[in-house]
Structure formats: C-alpha cells, structure tokens
Amino acid sequence: MAPDTAPDTAPDTVSVLSATAGRQRLADALALLLTVAAGATDALAYLGLGGVFTANMTGNLVLLGIAGSHGADLHVARAAAATLAFAAGLVLAFRVTRDLPAGALWPRRITLTLTVGLLCQVAFLAGWAAVDAKPSEEWDVALVALSALAMGVQTACARRVALAGITTTFVTGTLTSIAESAAHGSARHVPRRLAVLLALVVGALAGALLLRYAPITAAVLPAALVALTLVLGTRLHQVRRNP
C-alpha cells in the first residue's frame, strides 16, 4: 500500500510570491518612470522657459522671492504661473482621486487622472513645437502653466499611490527618509529611494541634453514616459497592496 503523501502546495506558494514580487517591481518601475519624466520636465523648464521650475515648487518659490526683490516682472509672472498651475493640478487630482479603493496598488482612477496630466504634456508639446522650441515672452507664461499643471496632477497621483516615502516630482522628502533610515540603522526601502534620486538626475540630464541637441524632442520625452506609465499601470488595476 502506497504511503500517504501531503499535497504539494509549495510550487503554488512560490508562484504567488513571485507574481506579487513582480507586481511590486512594476509599481516601483512606474514611480521611477514618472520621476525621470519630472527631472526632464524641470530641466526643460529651467533651461528653456526662463529659469523657473514646473515640478519643484520649493525652488520655484525661492526664485519667486528673488525675482520680486529685483523687480523682474516677467520672471515673477513665470514663477507665479508655475506655482498657481501646480496647485490647481494638485487640487484637481486630489479631488478626483479621493475615496480610492482601500488597499489598491494602482487604482483605475489613478490611470484616468494621470491621463489628464498626459494631455497637458501633449498640449505643452504642441505649443513648444509651434514656436520651434524658442518661445517668446508671451508664450513663456502659458507653456510654464501647462507644464506645471501636468506636474501638479502627477504629484497628486504619485502621492495617492506612494510607497516607502517615494515621490516623483521632488525628492527632499525622499532624501530625508534615507537620512532617517540611516540614523536608525535601517536599510529598509533605502535602495528604492536611492533609485528615485538617481532617476531624477537621469531625467534632468536627458532633458538638458535633448534641449541642447534636439530641442523639440526635449518635450517629447516627458510625455512619452508618462504615456508608457499609463500603459503599464493598467496591469495593476486589480492588484492589492502588500500588507
């Protein structure tokens, strides 16, 4: 008589764990794609739109104060437009994404809301191409506002699905989290957070190089990265967050 054997469930367990890890890596990859897009966007704004930021509002508010002290009206207008448009994007996206399903890793509504940000990026690209990447003073403020609106929407969406203290448009908080972990002797999430810092630098470098050698394409990169994020994000619509 053959001995009784317990059902072999180990392969199923391994398969589930592997799938979960794969989805987590995809979620991390989406955050990195958006961070690269933010770095490229800020480089384009700073170098191509009169020295303002459209993703980094801390620096932008400092620039606003400096410009105001020197009476630089156009620079004040750019910085103010960026700040107000960014805030509008935040409010819009936070309002649309309120009451998200509990525990969802990448809710469908995040994809829909981030699509609004992509449309702003496409509108920016159209305007950027229309002026041959050389906007006049009249175009400056409008393009700054479009770019900042897109970044405000992106920031809110990233905040809603934030993992391990990661943001995609500013990294002061991420750097602070790394320092806090180091102070407590913990390496948890540190590699992920360091990857975000590197992604922002890579995005800024790519944006600056494209602006120098292929100015029109500099506006294509952020939009393409956000579009790729949206496509990949659909794979996570039904996925639950790890406890």
Side-chain angles (χ1 to χ4, degrees):
M1 183 171 164
D4 293 336
T5 56
D8 187 6
T9 58
D12 290 338
T13 302
V14 171
S15 178
V16 170
L17 291 175
S18 178
T20 300
R23 290 163 180 164
Q24 184 63 59
R25 286 194 295 269
L26 177 57
D28 291 345
L30 298 185
L32 293 178
L33 285 173
L34 291 177
T35 305
V36 174
T41 297
D42 251 352
L44 173 58
Y46 188 80
L47 297 173
L49 292 173
V52 296
F53 298 105
T54 56
N56 179 0
M57 290 302 110
T58 302
N60 217 41
L61 289 172
V62 172
L63 292 174
L64 179 61
I66 293 173
S69 71
H70 287 77
D73 294 340
L74 181 59
H75 206 77
V76 168
R78 293 190 192 107
T83 304
L84 292 174
F86 187 89
L90 286 174
V91 172
L92 170 66
F94 277 135
R95 187 168 183 81
V96 172
T97 59
R98 68 187 186 278
D99 302 325
L100 290 175
L105 184 61
W106 189 275
R108 189 180 303 275
R109 211 182 312 165
I110 290 294
T111 295
L112 294 175
T113 307
L114 195 56
T115 300
V116 175
L118 175 60
L119 292 176
C120 293
Q121 293 276 22
V122 171
F124 176 90
L125 172 59
W128 182 253
V131 296
D132 197 27
K134 298 175 183 176
S136 62
E137 293 182 354
E138 292 76 14
W139 274 89
D140 265 353
V141 175
L143 290 176
V144 163
L146 272 174
S147 180
L149 183 62
M151 289 295 99
V153 170
Q154 176 177 312
T155 299
C157 288
R159 180 71 172 267
R160 289 297 196 203
V161 297
L163 299 171
I166 291 175
T167 57
T168 66
T169 57
F170 57 94
V171 295
T172 303
T174 303
L175 186 59
T176 301
S177 296
I178 293 173
E180 183 179 18
S181 296
H184 288 87
S186 171
R188 189 185 182 197
H189 301 313
V190 168
R192 186 182 297 168
R193 290 166 177 164
L194 287 174
V196 169
L197 298 182
L198 180 60
L200 191 74
V201 174
V202 168
L205 176 61
L209 290 174
L210 286 173
L211 187 60
R212 175 180 295 182
Y213 297 109
I216 299 297
T217 310
V220 174
L221 178 61
L225 291 171
V226 174
L228 178 59
T229 301
L230 289 171
V231 172
L232 295 176
T234 60
R235 301 182 183 182
L236 300 177
H237 282 170
Q238 305 302 323
V239 177
R240 311 296 292 177
R241 190 187 300 272
N242 290 338

